[in-house]
């Protein structure tokens, strides 16, 4: 439901609430919205600035830092982390929840750089690879940095409980599966292997996200980043699979339709977006390859589309009764999760 000043004014005009109650509710909803990520200019500035700072110490790290040596990198990393923790506490004290979460996430993102510095300092770094390759190459010896990041990320997330802290944890889990695969396979980086690893990693991460979603259904949205990276990895791995079989292509289409349904059910747009992309890709395959010379195909597709629209009308008419009967048969945790999504 979208509660706005206009809707509250309309409620006043219909004598549902008083003008004073409308003003009090508007102030309350405005205060509440400041604690949750929204597509507002303020929040865009928060995340844009935070991601620039995080990217500067991760994705965009250059070779200039190598001149400080291992000890210098460790010291500077600790100073940056200390500054991040100080800002986290300062923002939290002023109830600026989103900036506090971004600063806490910055601290976690400093962990792999600090561990890299320790390894350089102790002289146990295995080759001439630089830190800037951490986000670009698959290497088994990144595992120490990834394990350390998971430990620090888990501790910081447990201490501060900001949903954005799950982002570096999700990214690290994704990196770790790739590097563990390289370790087990003896450095085999074949394209087929990467596809399979991406597919199964995404599936496992999505299952983890669903478990987290169930556990945190009464609090904040801690599952968002796990869903985002999990579904992305799964869909990319699935879509890049080679297939000359029309049955397997149709099965791919059914999987994407299922993703759309799951996304609507859990109110997770990432499922819907990727499911829609996959479905459109399959329909494009039918139009340009299977039924390339058939004039009936566009007609049939139009009829199917209009049928789906009519199905939506029927669903809207009977949604309440169908939903209530369906939810009554579900386990209590799942029922509460769905109710929290449908009635936030």
């Amino acid at each position: 439901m979208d509660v706005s000043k206009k809707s509250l004014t309309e409620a006043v005009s219909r004598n549902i609430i008083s003008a004073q109650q409308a003003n009090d509710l508007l102030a309350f909803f405005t205060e509440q919205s400041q604690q949750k990520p929204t597509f507002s200019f303020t929040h865009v500035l928060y995340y844009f600035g935070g991601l620039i700072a995080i990217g500067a110490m991760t994705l965009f790290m250059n070779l200039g830092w190598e001149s400080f040596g291992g000890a210098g990198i460790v010291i500077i990393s600790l100073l940056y982390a200390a500054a991040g923790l100080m800002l986290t506490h300062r923002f939290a004290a002023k109830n600026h929840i989103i900036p506090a979460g971004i600063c806490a996430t910055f601290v976690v993102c400093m962990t792999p750089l600090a561990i890299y510095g320790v390894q350089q300092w102790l002289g146990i770094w295995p080759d001439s690879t630089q830190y800037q390759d951490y986000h670009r190459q698959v290497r088994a010896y990144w595992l120490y940095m990834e394990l350390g990041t998971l430990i620090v990320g888990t501790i910081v997330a447990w201490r501060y409980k900001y949903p954005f802290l799950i982002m570096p944890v999700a990214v690290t889990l994704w990196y770790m599966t790739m590097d563990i695969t390289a370790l087990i396979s003896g450095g085999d980086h074949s394209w087929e292997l990467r596809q399979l690893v991406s597919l199964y990693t995404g599936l496992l991460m999505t299952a983890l996200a669903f478990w987290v979603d169930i556990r945190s259904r009464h609090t904040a949205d801690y599952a968002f980043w796990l869903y985002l990276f999990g579904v992305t990895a799964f869909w990319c791995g699935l879509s890049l699979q080679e297939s000359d079989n029309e049955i397997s292509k149709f099965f791919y289409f059914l999987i994407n339709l299922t993703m759309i349904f799951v996304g609507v059910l859990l109110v997770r747009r990432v499922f819907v977006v990727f499911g829609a992309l996959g479905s459109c890709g399959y329909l494009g395959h039918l139009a340009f390859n299977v039924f390339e010379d058939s004039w009936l195909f566009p007609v049939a597709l139009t009829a199917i589309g209009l049928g789906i629209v009519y199905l939506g009308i029927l669903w809207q008419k009977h949604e309440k009764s169908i939903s209530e009967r369906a939810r009554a048969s579900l386990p209590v945790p799942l029922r509460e999760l769905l109710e929290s999504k449908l009635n936030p």
Side-chain angles (χ1 to χ4, degrees):
M1 292 180 289
D2 184 15
V3 180
S4 63
K5 184 177 182 180
K6 182 179 179 180
S7 61
L8 292 175
T9 302
E10 180 68 18
V12 173
S13 67
R14 297 187 184 184
N15 295 319
I16 298 175
I17 58 175
S18 67
Q20 183 59 46
Q21 288 174 324
N23 290 332
D24 292 341
L25 283 172
L26 182 62
F28 172 75
F29 290 139
T30 301
E31 181 182 355
Q32 290 290 101
S33 68
Q34 298 301 316
Q35 313 305 327
K36 297 179 181 179
T38 57
F39 194 68
S40 66
F41 186 66
T42 300
H43 289 186
V44 168
L45 289 178
Y46 284 158
Y47 283 105
F48 184 61
L51 289 174
I52 287 177
I54 291 171
M57 306 307 296
T58 54
L59 293 173
F60 309 125
M61 176 65 66
N62 57 38
L63 294 176
W65 275 55
E66 300 293 335
S67 62
F68 292 112
I73 290 175
V74 172
I75 293 172
I76 296 174
S77 299
L78 292 176
L79 290 175
Y80 267 89
L85 285 176
M86 182 186 67
L87 289 173
T88 299
H89 285 280
R90 181 167 297 181
F91 285 135
K94 296 182 178 180
N95 205 31
H96 296 320
I97 302 302
I98 293 177
I102 292 172
C103 290
T105 303
F106 175 80
V107 174
V108 176
C109 292
M110 294 301 303
T111 305
L113 179 63
I115 295 175
Y116 168 78
V118 169
Q119 291 177 294
Q120 288 278 21
W121 189 6
L122 297 178
I124 58 176
W125 192 248
D127 59 22
S128 60
T129 305
Q130 311 295 335
Y131 174 76
Q132 64 177 184
D133 297 319
Y134 175 58
H135 301 280
R136 306 171 189 174
Q137 299 178 4
V138 176
R139 293 286 186 275
Y141 49 72
W142 301 128
L143 285 173
Y144 295 106
M145 298 157 65
E146 291 157 353
L147 286 171
T149 303
L150 284 181
I151 293 171
V152 173
T154 301
I155 293 173
V156 175
W158 172 79
R159 169 64 178 82
Y160 293 102
K161 296 179 175 60
Y162 297 130
F164 193 50
L165 282 164
I166 304 300
M167 184 270 289
V169 173
V171 174
T172 302
L173 284 172
W174 179 37
Y175 283 6
M176 181 177 288
T177 56
M178 293 293 183
D179 294 329
I180 289 177
T181 303
L183 178 65
I184 295 175
S185 65
D188 180 11
H189 298 159
S190 68
W191 188 243
E192 292 77 11
L193 179 63
R194 292 187 181 188
Q195 292 171 7
L196 289 174
V197 170
S198 179
L199 190 152
Y200 290 113
T201 297
L203 196 59
L204 290 174
M205 195 178 297
T206 303
L208 174 62
F210 181 70
W211 179 79
V212 171
D213 213 2
I214 292 285
R215 293 294 301 271
S216 62
R217 62 189 182 277
H218 298 305
T219 54
D221 186 5
Y222 295 101
F224 172 81
W225 292 101
L226 292 171
Y227 274 128
L228 179 62
F229 286 101
V231 173
T232 302
F234 169 76
W235 185 86
C236 290
L238 180 69
S239 300
L240 292 172
Q241 296 293 313
E242 292 291 337
S243 174
D244 296 326
N245 189 324
E246 288 300 325
I247 295 178
S248 62
K249 286 184 170 63
F250 179 69
F251 186 63
Y252 168 80
F253 176 58
L254 293 180
I255 292 175
N256 281 274
L257 289 181
T258 303
M259 289 176 63
I260 295 175
F261 173 76
V262 170
V264 173
L265 187 68
L266 297 179
V267 196
R268 294 290 177 178
R269 294 181 180 89
V270 64
F271 285 94
V272 178
V273 170
F274 282 106
L277 287 174
S279 300
C280 290
Y282 176 75
L283 294 177
H285 163 71
L286 292 181
F288 298 110
N289 296 305
V290 180
F291 301 107
E292 182 179 5
D293 299 321
S294 173
W295 63 270
L296 280 175
F297 179 72
V299 177
L301 202 58
T302 300
I304 292 172
L306 293 176
I308 293 173
V309 172
Y310 181 66
L311 183 63
I313 294 173
L314 292 178
W315 171 258
Q316 184 178 15
K317 182 182 294 186
H318 304 288
E319 177 182 6
K320 184 176 180 181
S321 60
I322 295 174
S323 298
E324 287 177 350
R325 286 198 300 268
R327 285 203 293 267
S329 62
L330 296 175
V332 174
L334 182 55
R335 190 190 317 158
E336 292 178 349
L337 173 64
L338 296 180
E339 289 175 352
S340 70
K341 299 295 182 183
L342 297 173
N343 303 290

PDB file of all heavy atoms in Angstrom, residues 17 47 52 61 102 171 176 242 309 321:
ATOM      1  N   ILE A  17     -10.702  10.228   8.898  1.00  0.00           N
ATOM      2  CA  ILE A  17      -9.833  10.710   9.968  1.00  0.00           C
ATOM      3  C   ILE A  17      -9.898  12.223  10.000  1.00  0.00           C
ATOM      4  O   ILE A  17     -10.354  12.867   9.041  1.00  0.00           O
ATOM      5  CB  ILE A  17      -8.366  10.247   9.763  1.00  0.00           C
ATOM      6  CG1 ILE A  17      -7.840  10.741   8.410  1.00  0.00           C
ATOM      7  CG2 ILE A  17      -8.243   8.740   9.889  1.00  0.00           C
ATOM      8  CD1 ILE A  17      -6.375  10.425   8.176  1.00  0.00           C
ATOM      9  N   TYR A  47      23.764   6.061  -0.564  1.00  0.00           N
ATOM     10  CA  TYR A  47      24.319   4.845  -1.159  1.00  0.00           C
ATOM     11  C   TYR A  47      25.354   5.150  -2.238  1.00  0.00           C
ATOM     12  O   TYR A  47      26.341   4.427  -2.375  1.00  0.00           O
ATOM     13  CB  TYR A  47      23.196   3.971  -1.728  1.00  0.00           C
ATOM     14  CG  TYR A  47      22.438   3.224  -0.659  1.00  0.00           C
ATOM     15  CD1 TYR A  47      21.170   3.616  -0.254  1.00  0.00           C
ATOM     16  CD2 TYR A  47      23.014   2.123  -0.032  1.00  0.00           C
ATOM     17  CE1 TYR A  47      20.486   2.931   0.734  1.00  0.00           C
ATOM     18  CE2 TYR A  47      22.341   1.426   0.966  1.00  0.00           C
ATOM     19  CZ  TYR A  47      21.078   1.843   1.336  1.00  0.00           C
ATOM     20  OH  TYR A  47      20.419   1.162   2.319  1.00  0.00           O
ATOM     21  N   ILE A  52      30.912   4.614  -3.478  1.00  0.00           N
ATOM     22  CA  ILE A  52      32.166   5.181  -3.987  1.00  0.00           C
ATOM     23  C   ILE A  52      33.299   4.921  -2.996  1.00  0.00           C
ATOM     24  O   ILE A  52      34.406   4.507  -3.367  1.00  0.00           O
ATOM     25  CB  ILE A  52      32.014   6.690  -4.255  1.00  0.00           C
ATOM     26  CG1 ILE A  52      31.152   6.923  -5.504  1.00  0.00           C
ATOM     27  CG2 ILE A  52      33.382   7.351  -4.448  1.00  0.00           C
ATOM     28  CD1 ILE A  52      30.890   8.382  -5.795  1.00  0.00           C
ATOM     29  N   MET A  61      40.970  -0.241  -6.233  1.00  0.00           N
ATOM     30  CA  MET A  61      42.281  -0.166  -5.583  1.00  0.00           C
ATOM     31  C   MET A  61      43.386  -0.275  -6.644  1.00  0.00           C
ATOM     32  O   MET A  61      43.374  -1.188  -7.474  1.00  0.00           O
ATOM     33  CB  MET A  61      42.411  -1.305  -4.573  1.00  0.00           C
ATOM     34  CG  MET A  61      43.759  -1.387  -3.895  1.00  0.00           C
ATOM     35  SD  MET A  61      44.076   0.050  -2.861  1.00  0.00           S
ATOM     36  CE  MET A  61      42.821  -0.182  -1.615  1.00  0.00           C
ATOM     37  N   ILE A 102      26.019   1.828   6.220  1.00  0.00           N
ATOM     38  CA  ILE A 102      27.004   1.948   5.136  1.00  0.00           C
ATOM     39  C   ILE A 102      28.420   1.994   5.708  1.00  0.00           C
ATOM     40  O   ILE A 102      29.343   1.347   5.191  1.00  0.00           O
ATOM     41  CB  ILE A 102      26.706   3.192   4.284  1.00  0.00           C
ATOM     42  CG1 ILE A 102      25.400   2.996   3.508  1.00  0.00           C
ATOM     43  CG2 ILE A 102      27.858   3.481   3.323  1.00  0.00           C
ATOM     44  CD1 ILE A 102      24.922   4.234   2.788  1.00  0.00           C
ATOM     45  N   VAL A 171      28.633 -11.264  -1.405  1.00  0.00           N
ATOM     46  CA  VAL A 171      29.671 -11.207  -2.437  1.00  0.00           C
ATOM     47  C   VAL A 171      30.805 -12.173  -2.115  1.00  0.00           C
ATOM     48  O   VAL A 171      31.301 -12.893  -2.987  1.00  0.00           O
ATOM     49  CB  VAL A 171      30.215  -9.768  -2.576  1.00  0.00           C
ATOM     50  CG1 VAL A 171      31.397  -9.734  -3.537  1.00  0.00           C
ATOM     51  CG2 VAL A 171      29.126  -8.832  -3.073  1.00  0.00           C
ATOM     52  N   MET A 176      33.982 -17.086  -2.870  1.00  0.00           N
ATOM     53  CA  MET A 176      34.569 -18.268  -2.236  1.00  0.00           C
ATOM     54  C   MET A 176      34.237 -19.541  -3.009  1.00  0.00           C
ATOM     55  O   MET A 176      35.102 -20.427  -3.164  1.00  0.00           O
ATOM     56  CB  MET A 176      34.071 -18.378  -0.790  1.00  0.00           C
ATOM     57  CG  MET A 176      34.649 -19.572  -0.042  1.00  0.00           C
ATOM     58  SD  MET A 176      34.123 -19.627   1.679  1.00  0.00           S
ATOM     59  CE  MET A 176      35.066 -18.271   2.344  1.00  0.00           C
ATOM     60  N   GLU A 242      24.409 -24.644 -22.625  1.00  0.00           N
ATOM     61  CA  GLU A 242      24.201 -24.974 -24.035  1.00  0.00           C
ATOM     62  C   GLU A 242      23.107 -26.032 -24.168  1.00  0.00           C
ATOM     63  O   GLU A 242      23.076 -27.005 -23.410  1.00  0.00           O
ATOM     64  CB  GLU A 242      25.500 -25.498 -24.654  1.00  0.00           C
ATOM     65  CG  GLU A 242      26.592 -24.455 -24.786  1.00  0.00           C
ATOM     66  CD  GLU A 242      26.267 -23.401 -25.832  1.00  0.00           C
ATOM     67  OE1 GLU A 242      25.450 -23.697 -26.728  1.00  0.00           O
ATOM     68  OE2 GLU A 242      26.829 -22.297 -25.757  1.00  0.00           O
ATOM     69  N   VAL A 309      -3.973 -11.405 -19.217  1.00  0.00           N
ATOM     70  CA  VAL A 309      -4.569 -10.182 -18.673  1.00  0.00           C
ATOM     71  C   VAL A 309      -5.929 -10.490 -18.033  1.00  0.00           C
ATOM     72  O   VAL A 309      -6.237 -10.026 -16.928  1.00  0.00           O
ATOM     73  CB  VAL A 309      -4.725  -9.121 -19.779  1.00  0.00           C
ATOM     74  CG1 VAL A 309      -5.535  -7.927 -19.268  1.00  0.00           C
ATOM     75  CG2 VAL A 309      -3.362  -8.654 -20.273  1.00  0.00           C
ATOM     76  N   SER A 321     -10.180 -14.411  -1.129  1.00  0.00           N
ATOM     77  CA  SER A 321     -10.645 -15.733  -0.714  1.00  0.00           C
ATOM     78  C   SER A 321      -9.635 -16.823  -1.074  1.00  0.00           C
ATOM     79  O   SER A 321      -9.377 -17.727  -0.268  1.00  0.00           O
ATOM     80  CB  SER A 321     -11.994 -16.046  -1.375  1.00  0.00           C
ATOM     81  OG  SER A 321     -11.883 -16.028  -2.792  1.00  0.00           O
TER      82      SER A 321
END
